[in-house]
DNA sequence: TAAAAATCTTCACTATAGTTATGTGAGTCA
DNA sequence: TGACTCACATAACTATAGTGAAGATTTTTA
């Protein structure tokens, strides 16, 4: 965390904390509660609730749980759409663990979620598939809509059994309800961006 | 949290923390990561990750966010189905803050979420409405299905403008899509259980 | 089965989350 | 205007989350 001027009240911290804090304050106001009231029913001190709401403190897990309980909301609600708000989400490619998966490698695909903050929103994945990789044994079928863009290499996407051969720069969009799978039936590794936007779940 | 024997490693804490810890460990193992690896990519110490996984520490918000990032999952995932997993969810009635809302009181209703853990699943509420309470000014309309059971008192439920008068022991079920509101047009306080099962959102 | 390596836990410490108590500032009512 | 109340912020302190290094424990290798 950031330091403070002398001693006493902590200075402003990260944007994430401010976001959560704003959420707490908004929900509290929505219910017409004062700081005193919320602190009473959560068993937390007014001071810490005030600080959390203003993004000046970094609440612990149990504190978050107590707040959620006091506000009568599921804990997860504090996080919904949270990282999405700090748009854009930048993902450094160096983070990827490419050990053991090279152009020559055969075996499992490497997935990386590009939008780790989403919670019911759009979900993007970076997927590297080695030659021969095949997901036909368990065709996916879920709700929403999908979009795929081929960054490099080639890939065959099967929708309801129909093959669509995609090459670098190609893309495809379809309903996730359609049973779908894909296969890299080529010599090179294929890198693709896969986006899934669920309608409902 | 709980105290410790002498000094050093903290003792076991709440069941909630253990649950989150188990989740972290499971996800880490799933990705074939060691403590060292996870601590490296999260920037956290091995020690604290180990303690969190074993439910011996109460992670702060930022720590949770770092862990989620390192595990490539949305932060909210730590909470999904969490409280739901410790079935059944028992809610002590003493918890209810009934100050200022008695049989004689007029004003706002008192809501209490009975299933705080739900995250897209079933949602049950305990609702106490004082005489004269009326939600007709903002009729609800959302997805899913609703069910209401009257524990005591009486209440008028309006579905698409049609009034359904309910007394103690009565219940009603309907689609949440129908614009609905309710009113306590009687002399006594009404206590009801309201269950909402969203299909999708 | 002993040595070596890898993975995980414990220990002593430091930074900071959370507490109690006090301070500030905006309404109300006399 | 001043004494009161209500809602929130600040200050100094205490408990504990998180760190770095050393110690167990398990797994691997010979």
């Amino acid at each position: 965390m950031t330091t403070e001027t002398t001693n006493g009240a902590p200075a402003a911290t990260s944007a994430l904390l401010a976001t959560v804090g704003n959420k707490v304050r908004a929900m509290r106001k929505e219910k017409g509660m004062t700081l005193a009231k919320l602190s009473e029913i959560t068993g937390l001190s007014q001071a810490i609730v005030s600080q959390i709401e203003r993004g000046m403190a970094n609440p612990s897990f149990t504190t978050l749980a107590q707040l959620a309980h006091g506000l009568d909301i599921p804990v997860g609600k504090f996080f919904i759409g949270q990282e999405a708000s700090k748009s854009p989400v930048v993902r450094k490619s160096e983070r990827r663990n490419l050990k053991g998966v090279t152009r020559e490698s055969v075996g499992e695909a490497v997935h990386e979620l590009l939008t780790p903050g989403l919670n019911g929103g759009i979900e993007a994945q970076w997927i590297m598939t080695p030659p021969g990789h095949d997901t036909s044994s368990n065709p996916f079928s879920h709700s929403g809509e999908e979009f795929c863009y081929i960054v490099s290499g080639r890939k065959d996407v099967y929708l309801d059994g129909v093959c669509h051969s995609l090459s670098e720069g190609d893309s495809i969009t379809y309903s996730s309800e359609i049973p779908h799978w894909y296969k890299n039936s080529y010599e090179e590794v294929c890198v693709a961006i896969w986006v899934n936007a669920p309608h409902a779940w």
Side-chain angles (χ1 to χ4, degrees), chain A:
Chain A
M1 289 310 93
T2 49
T3 45
E4 36 197 84
T5 37
T6 52
N7 199 349
T13 48
S14 79
L16 274 181
L17 291 175
T19 312
V20 175
N22 289 335
K23 223 164 255 186
V24 173
R25 179 152 290 191
M27 288 169 177
R28 175 170 65 80
K29 295 280 186 188
E30 208 172 284
K31 308 217 182 232
M33 280 179 172
T34 66
L35 272 179
K37 180 85 184 287
L38 182 56
S39 102
E40 181 200 327
I41 65 175
T42 56
L44 295 164
S45 66
Q46 272 193 43
I48 196 65
V49 177
S50 171
Q51 285 176 23
I52 290 166
E53 288 187 352
R54 287 174 297 135
M56 318 293 278
N58 182 9
S60 71
F61 173 82
T62 51
T63 302
L64 283 172
Q66 284 168 281
L67 280 173
H69 195 229
L71 291 167
D72 257 348
I73 57 165
V75 191
K77 209 154 193 168
F78 289 138
F79 303 99
I80 291 174
Q82 181 190 276
E83 285 93 333
S85 70
K86 33 163 224 173
S87 55
V89 174
V90 177
R91 250 320 160 87
K92 291 298 192 181
S93 58
E94 303 100 73
R95 269 199 83 258
R96 279 172 202 138
N97 179 15
L98 299 180
K99 283 196 312 206
V101 181
T102 63
R103 283 176 158 271
E104 302 84 69
S105 82
V106 183
E108 278 311 292
V110 178
H111 294 248
E112 190 201 10
L113 189 61
L114 300 176
T115 51
L118 84 106
N119 236 324
I122 208 161
E123 182 170 300
Q125 277 195 304
W126 181 93
I127 302 183
M128 185 187 221
T129 40
H133 182 75
D134 185 359
T135 69
S136 66
S137 51
N138 63 331
F140 308 113
S141 176
H142 35 259
S143 63
E145 220 160 61
E146 284 193 10
F147 165 83
C148 173
Y149 176 82
I150 307 296
V151 175
S152 70
R154 307 170 69 188
K155 183 185 256 181
D156 293 341
V157 177
Y158 292 80
L159 300 176
D160 247 337
V162 180
C163 175
H164 302 265
S165 292
L166 303 180
S167 305
E168 192 171 314
D170 293 348
S171 70
I172 190 170
T173 312
Y174 54 90
S175 163
S176 313
E177 257 108 36
I178 302 171
H180 52 284
W181 67 88
Y182 55 84
K183 180 178 180 180
N184 181 353
S185 18
Y186 305 91
E187 303 294 306
E188 336 103 68
V189 162
C190 175
V191 174
I193 299 298
W194 215 271
V195 180
N196 177 31
H199 305 138
W201 53 354

